[in-house]
Amino acid sequence: MTDQSTDRGAGRRAEREVGRGRLRKEDARLITGQTNWTDNISVTGLLHLAFLRSPMAHARIERVDVSPALERPGVVAAFSGRDLAGALGSLPCAWPVTEDIVLPDHPPVAVDEVRHAGDPVAVVVARDRYAAADALEAVEVDYEPLPPVLDLEAALAEDAPLVHADKGTNRSYVWPLKTGEDYETVKRRADVVVTRRFHQQRLIANAMEPRAVVVTPLAASGEYTVYSATQVPHILRVMLATVTGIPEQKLRVVAPDVGGGFGSKLQVYGEEAVALEVARRLGRPVKWTETRSEGYLATHQGRGMIQDIEVAATREGRLLGLKVDLLADMGAYLMLVTPGIPILGAFMYPAIYKMDAYDFTCTGVFTTKTPTDAYRGAGRPEATFAIERIMDELAAELGLDPVELRRRNWIRHEEFPYDSIAGLTYDSGNYEAATEKALALFGYDDLRAEQRKRNERGDTVRLGIGVSTYTEMCGLAPSRVLRDLRYAAGGWEAASIRMLPTGKVEVVTGTSPHGQGHVTSWSQIAADVLGVPFEDIEVVHGDTRAAPQGMDTYGSRSLVVGGSAVHHAAEKVVEKARRVAAHLLEADENDLDFTDGVFTVKGSPEARRTIQEIAFETFTSHDVPDGMEPTLNADQVTDPENFSYPHGTHLCAVEVDTETGQTRIRSYVCVDDVGRVINPVIVEGQVHGGLAQGIAQALYEEAVYDDEGNLVTGTMADYLVPVAGDLPEFVTERTETPATSNPLGVKGVGESGTIASTPAVVGAVVDALRPLGVNDVTMPCTPERVWRAVRSAKEASA
């Protein structure tokens, strides 16, 4: 055994892992079909659930009779909302943003009233999913129609029909933030005031894997294992215990392979609670997997907002103040973090700019539509869109180049750390460097020259150039800040390092990946700190039994907070190993160097032990320091010091056919600063994916409801998700200013592309049409909307 141990560590890599473009460890299993999606899970005696959903946006439930469904072949049980009401509490809202927020009950299955099309009214349990689905048509429901509530401004009128009649209002909350000087005072000394109204359409996530849940009960002990396609297994466990009354220690939640989320799986859904309750009642394992059409109706949606933006400036273009008034569509209920999503954006409207006054107000409004909640970027894309578009409008008003206007107002690199007017401390950044690099790659001056020539000729196809210089806040967030924002949970993250006797390593993380590459990145981080080979590291995640502590994955927090926890835990392992190494080498701990996984005695490099050898020696415990436990394992819980602040400059050139409204992205360049890069391959993939979603909002995607509150874009035939051929070749580059608030210097990248790209694309479309009198096109900028905008401008000038 001693002979075997002497070779441990001989296979260490010759270069540092952090910064290396490793292919993802996860991919081989994923692309060869060796995955374990929730819907793949099958156990003996499995029953299947199907939900009957309301075809009406708003109605009183007069009667639900599930008994005819029980006569259908294969049906085992059926339940109405009233049947389940005694056992299941209201679905949780973890972010009541004001003390007086209107917070209605949200039953997992509707009892007395349905409040959006797709609201569940009954559940059928059968031996297979097809029998369950077929039996839904046998359930008898009598509805008394009620008026839908669809328009945000009309919903606040005194005589408006109410989504929740017992609450007496459709206003959920009003949340203000006023900082700096008084805005109205600042406005009076402005030379120019520009006001615009922007609409953020509703969006549907369309993750590759639909939502799914499997619950397996262990009757003898009253324990339950919940497998769910979720981003938040730890949060889900806590909330399911609250909703069902099952003790938390009796619940195990597992997120198997999860095929994307984009925020839509950052949620505690009624279907998960119902599946758990049905498994408890029947003592049988149950499964539910949503259909695509079900997902469009029942999975929470994103965005949905009216933005009234006003900016005051001097004639030289210096910003004096910014006023933001939002109407935010909550939908029918407040789900897990619904009210807080627009509040996240409140801190980002001033973006990278200096000003004297900031006045923000958000009003949350109930409507009879699918509830909204987190969607990639969560409040930050909305803010970035508004400030970047109003900067374009101000530049046009002043006759300035939009890049030059930004230069006159942004925070300069020598001013960091900088306290923004919204109350955040930006720790590091260099907006000038990112912008100059992007402009050079883009060929900005040449494109402007070409644009002028086209405009002078009166070309039918116009060239437009869009600019987006953004920052965002990632790494949600110091727990005490979340407390002050009335968020129910903390912002910490947990990690453990287990050094195995054979010298291999298990990294246990509380973050739960669904495509981000955590396994690869965490292996790289641990490999560099421990000095062990990348291949010798496994990452354990997504199971509340194997990884009992965690706050999960959302808000670009995983690397900033979870990766930092891994780093700190690995450092603890090294310090434990140092103690053993000093003992074995008969040296003082302070006299040891540790490089690439090897402890050596200063001045005597031949006296050496690898950390993997020490792991084995510690396991045997034959010769360790007195009082030391036989393990090098270490745990770490990290609470971030601050948010992190990625930034960058995105430039887009579009060609717009003014006769057909067709828009084509001709070129797209982005230079992002995400701090220190762990794996450039993963960063590149995250940026490309984010760009696709941001461009999709700009040009393609929109959840549309008719006058009765029916979703008319409820299939992939109607809801336009772009494919690869709809997107341009991207030119992506980076600058690097490390974060100062975490040991890795990282800033987060998962949402940056989505946040930055939408205003760049829409700004380019408007820029192309501005000579024709167009100063806005409502998203998505479809050919019809572009054509109508051109036609309206021509009619107005005639």
Side-chain angles (χ1 to χ4, degrees), residues 344-408:
L344 276 176
F347 301 97
M348 286 284 97
Y349 281 86
I352 67 173
Y353 306 116
K354 296 178 285 189
M355 60 191 73
D356 301 329
Y358 177 45
D359 187 329
F360 173 94
T361 304
C362 178
T363 302
V365 183
F366 290 114
T367 61
T368 53
K369 299 179 184 178
T370 301
T372 60
D373 209 299
Y375 180 92
R376 195 171 190 168
R380 281 84 43 87
E382 297 94 308
T384 301
F385 180 87
I387 185 63
E388 291 303 281
R389 284 287 297 111
I390 200 71
M391 288 295 282
D392 286 346
E393 297 306 302
L394 178 60
E397 184 73 19
L398 294 169
L400 286 173
D401 180 274
V403 174
E404 177 57 28
L405 176 66
R406 288 162 168 82
R407 283 196 181 103
R408 295 183 184 186

Side-chain angles (χ1 to χ4, degrees), residues 449-609:
E450 179 185 344
Q451 180 187 46
R452 284 192 293 273
K453 290 177 182 177
R454 286 195 183 199
N455 289 344
E456 289 166 1
R457 292 195 304 261
D459 286 4
T460 298
V461 178
R462 296 298 179 104
L463 177 64
I465 298 168
V467 181
S468 175
T469 51
Y470 79 99
T471 189
E472 59 149 325
M473 58 184 198
C474 295
L476 190 76
S479 294
R480 292 181 180 181
V481 171
L482 294 178
R483 172 203 63 193
D484 294 342
L485 292 174
R486 301 180 60 84
Y487 184 63
W492 54 266
E493 194 48 79
S496 300
I497 304 289
R498 299 198 288 243
M499 286 290 299
L500 305 179
T502 55
K504 309 304 181 185
V505 179
E506 289 179 333
V507 175
V508 182
T509 178
T511 64
S512 186
H514 45 283
Q516 293 87 347
H518 292 184
V519 172
T520 302
S521 298
W522 281 208
S523 295
Q524 291 179 273
I525 292 167
D528 273 358
V529 178
L530 299 173
V532 304
F534 171 83
E535 295 79 9
D536 285 356
I537 299 173
E538 296 293 328
V539 178
V540 178
H541 59 81
D543 183 338
T544 61
R545 181 169 294 171
Q549 282 190 292
M551 290 302 295
D552 305 317
T553 296
Y554 41 87
S556 298
R557 70 182 300 274
S558 292
L559 178 59
V560 175
V561 191
S564 294
V566 170
H567 175 87
H568 285 308
E571 287 183 322
K572 289 182 177 180
V573 169
V574 172
E575 290 312 303
K576 282 188 173 184
R578 181 184 298 276
R579 184 180 174 195
V580 179
H583 177 78
L584 294 173
L585 295 170
E586 298 180 347
D588 187 274
E589 290 182 38
N590 295 324
D591 289 335
L592 294 185
D593 290 325
F594 181 69
T595 305
D596 291 336
V598 180
F599 289 97
T600 56
V601 180
K602 294 175 181 178
S604 302
E606 70 282 355
R608 65 195 301 275
R609 285 288 193 280

Side-chain angles (χ1 to χ4, degrees), residues 182-246:
D182 175 68
Y183 175 79
E184 294 301 325
T185 301
V186 166
K187 179 180 175 180
R188 283 194 289 272
R189 66 173 189 257
D191 299 312
V192 178
V193 176
V194 178
T195 303
R196 292 288 185 272
R197 167 169 283 199
F198 301 126
H199 291 264
Q200 292 282 332
Q201 75 269 39
R202 278 174 166 255
L203 301 171
I204 298 172
N206 279 290
M208 283 195 295
E209 181 202 18
R211 291 190 295 123
V213 59
V214 173
V215 181
T216 60
L218 186 60
S221 60
E223 296 178 309
Y224 301 86
T225 298
V226 179
Y227 301 90
S228 181
T230 182
Q231 298 176 218
V232 288
H234 296 89
I235 292 173
L236 181 59
R237 182 189 188 210
V238 173
M239 293 305 186
L240 285 178
T242 302
V243 173
T244 65
I246 296 172

